[in-house]
Amino acid sequence: MPTSSPSQNSEQTDELRFAFGKNWKQFLRILDEERLEKAEDSLKEFWPDHSERLTFLDVGSGSGTFSLAARNLGAEVHSFDYDDDSVACTRALKARYYPDDPNWNVEQGSILDQQYLGSLGQFDIVYSWGVLHHTGQMWSALENITSLVKPGGLLVVALYNDQGWKSKFWKVVKQIYCSGWPGRWLMQAIFVPFFLIGFLVSDLMRIRNPLARYRSRHDARGMSVVTDIIDWIGGFPFEVATPEEVREFYSQRGFHLIQEKLTAGLGCNEFVFCRELSERPNAQLA
């Protein structure tokens, strides 16, 4: 495996872990039909054209928005997240839109828990957007998720782009943020205005309405800009990967790339892989 995975034990990871679920609770207050439609549209970019019902696994469901979007598209959905508050968010969405629906299950679980993963079976679509780089053991998580994809099924992952020294800088920022309330307040005081002013300048230079950025129709995935800023500043554990590393990693495990969206800066590279129908007998794993 690539060597960018940190040598960090589970106790250290638990001590410095961003409260993603609490952040998602704030997002649910502004989730509306327009944002949900954008989430559905983002899934349709890779959604297979099948007549039968698809099975969809949301690994790290967060707010539950994309589990809900997948259910709206007719899939049988299983959602899980490590964070109890995130599980509560997903359950709240299910209760709001699909109460007592047997075709959407929500659980607490970890992509690093082999026993739990063994109970899940395999799915037509395994979706994990911006999650696995926050486990503290990214390459193990990327390995574990492969067994959840049916032969011929899709694996959709988004991972932080490796920017070299810039990524190392942001890792320090995130560690300070998660060190306690003084660090959290300091990092928010510095970097929330930093991003907001940067967005304002960028929009004015492009002669765009600065307020459009904060409307759901501007965000291709239906997410909140402010929620994403806090997620970025505080999101720890934090690991990164180059597109080449990710492609090679999954190629060696019997997956071929069918779609990707790459970024040259901050944010995630997005990949859609298809699992080959038959295993390679002599695959050499990194």
Side-chain angles (χ1 to χ4, degrees):
M1 295 183 186
T3 58
S4 57
S5 180
S7 57
Q8 184 176 38
N9 65 39
S10 59
E11 292 182 358
Q12 290 173 318
T13 298
D14 289 339
E15 289 174 0
L16 291 176
R17 183 176 293 278
F18 178 64
F20 290 98
K22 290 182 171 62
N23 201 33
W24 286 124
K25 283 183 176 180
Q26 300 300 318
F27 171 74
L28 286 188
R29 297 177 182 177
I30 60 172
L31 178 64
D32 55 21
E33 293 304 316
E34 190 175 5
R35 291 181 186 274
L36 182 55
E37 183 179 349
K38 287 296 184 183
E40 291 176 21
D41 288 342
S42 74
L43 296 186
K44 289 176 183 177
E45 292 181 6
F46 60 80
W47 202 261
D49 186 17
H50 286 181
S51 57
E52 67 273 14
R53 172 174 287 172
L54 297 168
T55 53
F56 182 95
L57 178 64
D58 194 354
V59 178
S61 56
S63 68
T65 301
F66 292 91
S67 292
L68 174 58
R71 188 69 192 92
N72 285 347
L73 293 176
E76 181 179 332
V77 177
H78 188 99
S79 315
F80 75 87
D81 202 295
Y82 178 82
D83 184 287
D84 288 331
D85 288 323
S86 293
V87 174
C89 287
T90 304
R91 284 177 174 160
L93 274 192
K94 181 179 185 292
R96 184 191 308 177
Y97 289 91
Y98 287 92
D100 303 318
D101 181 4
N103 292 313
W104 183 2
N105 296 310
V106 184
E107 294 181 336
Q108 192 279 336
S110 171
I111 190 63
L112 301 178
D113 184 345
Q114 296 277 10
Q115 183 175 357
Y116 173 69
L117 299 183
S119 71
L120 296 178
Q122 294 184 319
F123 296 79
D124 297 304
I125 302 173
V126 176
Y127 182 87
S128 190
W129 208 103
V131 173
L132 304 182
H133 48 227
H134 291 311
T135 60
Q137 300 178 50
M138 182 180 72
W139 294 105
S140 293
L142 291 170
E143 178 76 59
N144 290 352
I145 204 171
T146 61
S147 65
L148 303 172
V149 186
K150 287 182 178 179
L154 299 182
L155 172 61
V156 185
V157 294
L159 301 167
Y160 281 143
N161 185 41
D162 189 346
Q163 293 187 277
W165 69 267
K166 293 181 181 178
S167 296
K168 293 180 174 65
F169 167 80
W170 284 112
K171 183 175 182 179
V172 173
V173 169
K174 295 165 188 285
Q175 287 175 313
I176 295 172
Y177 183 101
C178 293
S179 65
W181 66 263
R184 181 169 64 253
W185 287 3
L186 177 61
M187 294 300 98
Q188 285 185 352
I190 294 173
F191 290 105
V192 171
F194 169 81
F195 280 108
L196 294 179
I197 293 171
F199 292 157
L200 174 63
V201 171
S202 175
D203 290 336
L204 292 176
M205 290 179 63
R206 290 170 171 79
I207 318 178
R208 293 191 305 217
N209 178 4
L211 296 179
R213 184 181 293 273
Y214 304 95
R215 298 171 184 161
S216 61
R217 63 176 177 269
H218 183 78
D219 189 337
R221 299 180 69 245
M223 296 289 97
S224 161
V225 172
V226 176
T227 302
D228 281 348
I229 289 174
I230 298 300
D231 184 283
W232 171 258
I233 297 171
F236 190 85
F238 171 75
E239 294 180 70
V240 296
T242 66
E244 293 77 15
E245 285 178 324
V246 178
R247 294 189 204 107
E248 180 65 17
F249 184 87
Y250 280 117
S251 174
Q252 293 177 349
R253 286 155 179 80
F255 288 77
H256 63 269
L257 181 70
I258 59 175
Q259 291 182 32
E260 67 178 9
K261 292 183 181 179
L262 305 181
T263 178
L266 299 179
C268 291
N269 294 315
E270 306 170 38
F271 306 90
V272 180
F273 295 96
C274 182
R275 185 174 186 178
E276 295 177 357
L277 292 173
S278 59
E279 296 292 335
R280 296 182 184 182
N282 297 313
Q284 297 296 318
L285 301 186

